Amino acid sequence: LRKIYIQMSTKRKEKSDLENDRELMDRFSRQIGAFGTTMMTKLVKMDVLIVGAGGVGVEIAKNLILLGPKRVTLCDSTKVEIQDLGANFTLSKDDVGKRSRAVASVRELSELNASCDVGVLRDAEGKEVDSLTEKLLESYDVLLVSDV
């Protein structure tokens, strides 16, 4: 019974936090109508890591960013190739062979929602990550992996 009470208390607190933030309520009113305040409260606090910035990964990133999570981070150190231009709408000819798919994609994706922190997964020294470790994954609520 105590566990149930704690969960209910937490839900009430989360709901009231969102309801007390008039700016968030106004900005996400349609989403709140569709998802409810509990889901939106979780979403605006969510940290998402997307591994793979191909066509599917970037499309998912776009849709998530438009929903309004706290942070979306991309991880894909593969250099942009000419065939990537047909699948990933954020890439340009200037990116081919020069930038990773994650770095090239972040520029356009970050413009979709100013309240969402969009970035590239980097290690402690600021170098773009090309392999995942448990320590790097600790700070994320959601991990999405796409190889297309």
Side-chain angles (χ1 to χ4, degrees):
L1 186 62
R2 179 176 159 80
K3 185 176 182 181
I4 293 170
Y5 174 74
I6 291 170
Q7 288 175 343
M8 289 175 61
S9 297
T10 304
K11 285 183 179 182
R12 284 189 190 132
K13 184 179 185 305
E14 286 177 353
K15 186 174 180 179
S16 65
D17 287 348
L18 183 64
E19 289 176 343
N20 288 334
D21 191 335
R22 190 56 40 204
E23 179 186 343
L24 277 178
M25 290 291 288
D26 290 343
R27 185 171 13 153
F28 296 120
S29 62
R30 290 183 181 177
Q31 288 170 232
I32 291 168
F35 302 139
T37 55
T38 303
M39 178 60 191
M40 282 308 300
T41 299
K42 291 177 183 179
L43 183 65
V44 298
K45 296 177 182 178
M46 191 178 295
D47 290 330
V48 181
L49 174 61
I50 299 176
V51 178
V56 173
V58 167
E59 187 64 26
I60 291 169
K62 176 199 76 165
N63 292 331
L64 275 170
I65 291 165
L66 291 172
L67 285 175
K70 178 181 168 188
R71 176 175 61 153
V72 173
T73 305
L74 298 178
C75 178
D76 190 340
S77 61
T78 307
K79 293 286 185 203
V80 175
E81 297 176 5
I82 195 75
Q83 61 264 29
D84 292 326
L85 301 179
N88 183 333
F89 69 92
T90 65
L91 304 177
S92 71
K93 290 179 187 176
D94 295 336
D95 297 322
V96 176
K98 297 177 185 171
R99 295 176 190 87
S100 71
R101 292 193 286 193
V103 169
S105 298
V106 162
R107 290 183 314 225
E108 190 165 328
L109 291 173
S110 63
E111 294 175 5
L112 296 173
N113 186 346
S115 66
C116 179
D117 180 22
V118 181
V120 176
L121 186 62
R122 299 188 183 278
D123 61 17
E125 288 111 33
K127 182 183 171 198
E128 187 175 359
V129 171
D130 57 2
S131 62
L132 298 175
T133 64
E134 197 170 319
K135 184 171 174 60
L136 287 170
L137 299 176
E138 286 176 348
S139 65
Y140 294 94
D141 302 310
V142 176
L143 170 64
L144 184 133
V145 181
S146 171
D147 65 350
V148 289

